[in-house]
Amino acid sequence: MIIRPSDISGDVRREADVVVIGSGAGGAPVAKELAEAGYRVVVIEEGEYFKRQDFDFHASRALTRFYRDAGQSVTLGLPFVLLLQGMTVGGTTTVNSGTCLRLPRHVLKRWHLEYGLRDITEEELNLLYAALEEYLFVKRADPEVAGKNALLFLEGARKLGYSAGFIPRNAKDCEGYGMCPYGCPSGAKQSANVSWIPDALKAGADLYTRCRAERIMVRSGRVVGVRGRFYRPGERAKGHRLEVEARVVVLAGGALQTPSLLMHNRIALGSGQVGRNLSIHPCGGTIALLEEETGNPRGIPQSTYVDEFAPDGIMLEGVTLPPPVMASTLPWGGRRHAEAMRLYPYCGTFGSMISEHDSVGRVVAGPSARQPLVFYRFGSGDLERLKRSFLLMAEIWFAAGARRVFTPIEGFREINSPRDLERLSFHRLKRGEIYGLSAYHPMGTCRMGSDPEWSVVKSTGETWEVENLYICDASVLPTSLGVNPQLTIMALALRTAGFIDERLQSSTSAGKAGRRPAEKGLGVSSKKAPFFRDRRG
Amino acid sequence: MRWREYLQRRVEKLIPVLLCTSYGQPEVDLEQVSAFSREFLSSGTPAFRLLYFTLILVLEGLCMLRLRRPLQSLALEQARDFLESIYSSRTSLLKAVPLLLSAPFYLAHYGREDVQEALGFPVSALQEEAAKREVTR
Ligand SMILES: Cc1cc2nc3c(=O)[nH]c(=O)nc-3n(C[C@H](O)[C@H](O)[C@H](O)COP(=O)(O)OP(=O)(O)OC[C@H]3O[C@@H](n4cnc5c(N)ncnc54)[C@H](O)[C@@H]3O)c2cc1C
Ligand code: SF4
């Protein structure tokens, strides 16, 4: 059942087996799996539940309605990076591009060697990925609806002999409306709001929307529940209270909110790692002026990639920008801006994403738990990688027939010829010379590891310090992944759901309240039972 | 409250200066841009609002420094020329001032259906098409 602030008339107190804070890539799968296993699950989500009809092709309005802080959060440090996160049922998956990539093998190896996470095996992950891909209808983007912008760039990359292709994505019958980051208007994208959450609700979970979890209640080293507050749109005054006593609490508010909540509650801070080790996959974009119309933003916004340089930490991935977003990211103002926007139909866009090697990020408690401060300092190696990504994108655009390419680098805003490219390649990029970077993948701020000295959660997802408090979102990823993270977050979430089930079963057999009989007919596996129990046989 | 209204009025004064349209494109609707900017700023963080209003003061301060006249007293074309001089400055932080200030205006104006349609993105036709076509699991 969905319970909105308008459905309640006073403070709410109740019990549950499991409370999940956050309904995004981490929280939603856990809620669905445990609800289907028969547990009483309560999900608390700060954002609202939007329906397909609310996703109405209006990108500007989408920013103010579906994004945290209207998409205005930036990192502190030069260059500034716009850090976008969703705040709605489905979390950031509701506004993401739908790309579903598996964890690269070398990254898993690093998790084994440096973080002691050997029990997360490749075989297990592959099983989880396969189940997720089936559940989420993951398949490579259909060239028919990929969009001309993407096809042109792909052609350019192939001319240069670079490895490139169509991206696997979680969309069923996608029509290429080009609106994924503003909410899919047809329901094709299998974000958590149309997949995990409806299934969790069907299995009996309760979802409280527009309710912010504020207190995590801990007694004698063990979590015992959560307190939150409802609020209505545009209202400053705090609304009614929600208090849920629970046996297990799953914190899944995302890599910025989760550490902030822990810091404000002063729990699980012993390792000194909460909020540290932030990586964000900084992204930059290029705009190319082409001879022909690109049809933007129609077509799948992120349908193609160039992975030739992935081993060096550079992924090039498609992006299209609807007019208002393009207008607000152009590096010019005034009359020049107006002229540039007139050429919008002839503009191609593509983006790059850097897997960090030497940048340092950290989330610090802000004036309120809602507003943590995010510090991020680019390392010189990553800055160089970023510059290289612009060079590569420009090179590919020229191979695709572009007349001019625009970058956000001061002094190189306009690249007209191979000579300009050469000049940029010799230029030593400084931190203050780049404008308009963005990031979409904050991770690592409550990292998973094998030692409580330097990690916040065990490989099961449970915090080292507070029994039955689990973290299950991007914050547990111990390193930058180099690929879009949602599939890996979901895979770890399914894994964690399995450990929570084990814990609850063992405490039930020790005399605690039992669960309802498991619902049949749902679940991600073909055996139609919750996936983690299938795996255990 | 008064302070907010005062700042909002300053924002409104900036709209025609920062937001230019080119020949043949729909005209700017000041009311619409002002209403969206208000909504955009109020849904964001207090830190962003503070930064935004500080940048308005910086811009006005720059105008006083360079032209010895308040920005509001300049004729529209004069004000736009002043801004062009900032856009072409070599210091990227300086350039960022009007760019950041104009972001909500661009989001508002180019978010209009008729403006998007003039640029080749048929919003209302797509809305109708999508409404007829629901993908179920
Ligand atoms: C524009 C964009 C495009 C992206 N594209 C892709 C892509 O194509 N592929 C991919 O793999 N990744 C993509 N990502 C990233 C991906 O969506 C995120 O990494 C992923 O959703 C993070 O999962 P999470 O569970 O950590 O957090 P989220 O999915 O952000 O969910 C956290 C939820 O918790 C809620 N919450 C937080 N604190 C509280 C609280 N105290 N009380 C109640 N609720 C709370 C939030 O409102 C939010 O809904 C994209 C991101 C963005 C912004
Ligand atoms: S391209 Fe359009 S139809 Fe396809 S998933 Fe994205 S928003 Fe939905």
Side-chain angles (χ1 to χ4, degrees), chain A residues 292-304:
Chain A
E292 49 194 317
E293 294 200 6
T294 57
N296 275 347
R298 284 214 69 170
I300 300 168
Q302 198 162 78
S303 58
T304 54

Side-chain angles (χ1 to χ4, degrees), chain B residues 9-82:
Chain B
R9 252 182 282 134
R10 302 277 277 256
V11 173
E12 280 163 16
K13 287 244 159 68
L14 275 180
I15 298 172
V17 182
L18 286 169
L19 191 56
C20 303
T21 51
S22 67
Y23 181 73
Q25 298 290 315
E27 287 298 311
V28 173
D29 172 350
L30 292 180
E31 288 256 310
Q32 181 260 348
V33 177
S34 164
F36 178 83
S37 309
R38 199 176 312 131
E39 186 196 333
F40 181 73
L41 290 170
S42 63
S43 348
T45 60
F48 187 85
R49 278 195 293 279
L50 186 69
L51 174 73
Y52 194 85
F53 293 126
T54 309
L55 291 183
I56 294 182
L57 299 181
V58 168
L59 195 68
E60 291 180 350
L62 277 171
C63 185
M64 279 303 278
L65 264 179
R66 287 199 178 173
L67 306 181
R68 313 235 165 262
R69 282 179 63 189
L71 186 59
Q72 294 99 316
S73 73
L74 301 179
L76 185 61
E77 286 308 308
Q78 260 181 320
R80 285 184 175 169
D81 287 340
F82 161 68

Side-chain angles (χ1 to χ4, degrees), chain A residues 52 56-58 60-61 63-64 69-70 72 135 137 172-173 175 177 179 185-188 190 194-195 199 236 297-298 323-324 327-328 330-335 337-339 341-342 344-345 371 410 413 432-433 435, chain B residues 4 18 20-23 25 36 39-41 43-46 48-49 77 80-81 84 87 89-90 92-93 95-96 99-100 103 106-108 110-111 113 116 119-121 123 126-127 129-131 133-137:
Chain A
R52 190 174 71 88
D56 61 358
F57 292 85
H58 281 283
S60 321
R61 227 166 27 218
L63 283 177
T64 60
D69 299 325
Q72 295 167 8
Y135 179 70
F137 300 91
K172 186 182 175 230
D173 304 331
E175 274 292 300
Y177 287 134
M179 283 286 123
S186 71
Q190 298 299 302
V194 303
S195 52
D199 282 352
R236 279 184 167 215
R298 284 214 69 170
S328 61
L330 285 178
W332 308 286
R335 299 169 186 124
H337 181 277
E339 273 312 302
M341 278 310 288
R342 209 167 51 85
Y344 176 84
Q371 272 148 4
E410 195 50 53
R413 294 257 155 117
E433 286 178 339
Y435 170 86
Chain B
R4 278 195 166 207
L18 286 169
C20 303
T21 51
S22 67
Y23 181 73
Q25 298 290 315
F36 178 83
E39 186 196 333
F40 181 73
L41 290 170
S43 348
T45 60
F48 187 85
R49 278 195 293 279
E77 286 308 308
R80 285 184 175 169
D81 287 340
E84 294 299 332
Y87 291 130
S89 137
R90 293 188 131 252
S92 49
L93 274 180
K95 251 187 231 185
L99 285 180
L100 205 139
Y106 293 144
L107 282 171
Y110 289 97
E113 284 182 17
Q116 301 204 62
L119 294 173
F121 186 42
V123 175
L126 288 171
Q127 277 169 348
E129 189 188 318
R133 161 169 208 291
E134 180 173 3
V135 178
T136 48
R137 278 177 62 81

Side-chain angles (χ1 to χ4, degrees), chain A residues 60-76:
Chain A
S60 321
R61 227 166 27 218
L63 283 177
T64 60
R65 299 179 80 194
F66 317 140
Y67 279 81
R68 184 171 288 278
D69 299 325
Q72 295 167 8
S73 317
V74 286
T75 59
L76 302 171

Side-chain angles (χ1 to χ4, degrees), chain A residues 6 45 105 157 166 218 220 222 256 374 487:
Chain A
S6 53
E45 170 54 55
R105 185 177 274 169
F166 291 95
V218 178
S220 315
R222 172 186 285 205
L256 306 181
V374 183
L487 208 64

Side-chain angles (χ1 to χ4, degrees), chain A residues 116-420:
Chain A
L117 296 171
R118 283 203 178 74
D119 54 332
I120 305 178
T121 63
E122 196 173 346
E123 294 70 44
E124 184 188 20
L125 274 186
N126 283 341
L127 266 174
L128 290 163
Y129 284 137
L132 284 168
E133 286 159 357
E134 185 190 330
Y135 179 70
L136 297 170
F137 300 91
V138 175
K139 62 174 180 4
R140 293 210 179 253
D142 177 356
E144 286 283 307
V145 287
K148 194 163 169 194
N149 178 64
L151 296 179
L152 283 169
F153 195 83
L154 193 65
E155 194 185 305
R158 286 184 172 155
K159 268 190 198 158
L160 295 169
Y162 295 152
S163 159
F166 291 95
I167 288 182
R169 22 191 338 268
N170 57 349
K172 186 182 175 230
D173 304 331
C174 166
E175 274 292 300
Y177 287 134
M179 283 286 123
C180 312
Y182 315 99
C184 176
S186 71
K189 189 180 72 176
Q190 298 299 302
S191 37
N193 57 319
V194 303
S195 52
W196 302 106
I197 290 294
D199 282 352
L201 295 173
K202 264 188 234 157
D206 284 335
L207 166 66
Y208 290 89
T209 64
R210 282 205 169 271
C211 181
R212 181 172 168 84
E214 291 177 340
R215 281 278 149 235
I216 297 170
M217 303 185 301
V218 178
R219 223 171 284 142
S220 315
R222 172 186 285 205
V223 79
V224 292
V226 175
R227 280 200 202 111
R229 285 269 198 174
F230 293 95
Y231 67 97
R232 287 172 195 253
E235 270 186 16
R236 279 184 167 215
K238 290 190 167 183
H240 295 300
R241 287 193 173 84
L242 170 71
E243 183 171 320
V244 190
E245 274 185 36
R247 295 155 71 195
V248 163
V249 172
V250 180
L251 195 42
L256 306 181
Q257 293 296 318
T258 287
S260 176
L261 200 56
L262 290 177
M263 288 187 265
H264 275 268
N265 278 274
R266 297 178 192 282
I267 53 173
L269 303 179
S271 66
Q273 296 302 318
V274 171
R276 289 183 185 267
N277 316 305
L278 170 75
S279 47
I280 57 173
H281 284 163
C283 297
T286 45
I287 300 169
L289 192 57
L290 296 148
E291 297 284 353
E292 49 194 317
E293 294 200 6
T294 57
N296 275 347
R298 284 214 69 170
I300 300 168
Q302 198 162 78
S303 58
T304 54
Y305 62 1
V306 177
D307 60 351
E308 174 82 21
F309 312 96
D312 305 336
I314 301 172
M315 268 298 261
L316 308 183
E317 289 184 352
V319 61
T320 54
L321 306 175
V325 181
M326 171 80 116
S328 61
T329 51
L330 285 178
W332 308 286
R335 299 169 186 124
R336 180 111 200 258
H337 181 277
E339 273 312 302
M341 278 310 288
R342 209 167 51 85
L343 296 173
Y344 176 84
Y346 297 89
C347 287
T349 46
F350 220 83
S352 65
M353 180 175 99
I354 302 302
S355 170
E356 294 110 310
H357 287 55
D358 59 356
S359 301
V360 186
R362 186 172 176 186
V363 175
V364 172
S368 75
R370 271 201 89 244
Q371 272 148 4
L373 304 174
V374 183
F375 291 89
Y376 191 82
R377 189 175 196 282
F378 273 85
S380 51
D382 289 339
L383 212 55
E384 193 54 32
R385 247 184 293 283
L386 199 60
K387 185 191 87 180
R388 190 166 161 229
S389 78
F390 287 111
L391 281 167
L392 292 166
M393 286 189 281
E395 188 195 15
I396 295 172
W397 273 127
F398 283 126
R403 281 189 279 151
R404 245 178 285 166
V405 178
F406 305 107
T407 79
I409 301 176
E410 195 50 53
F412 299 91
R413 294 257 155 117
E414 220 174 289
I415 297 190
N416 292 304
S417 64
R419 273 217 10 228
D420 289 343

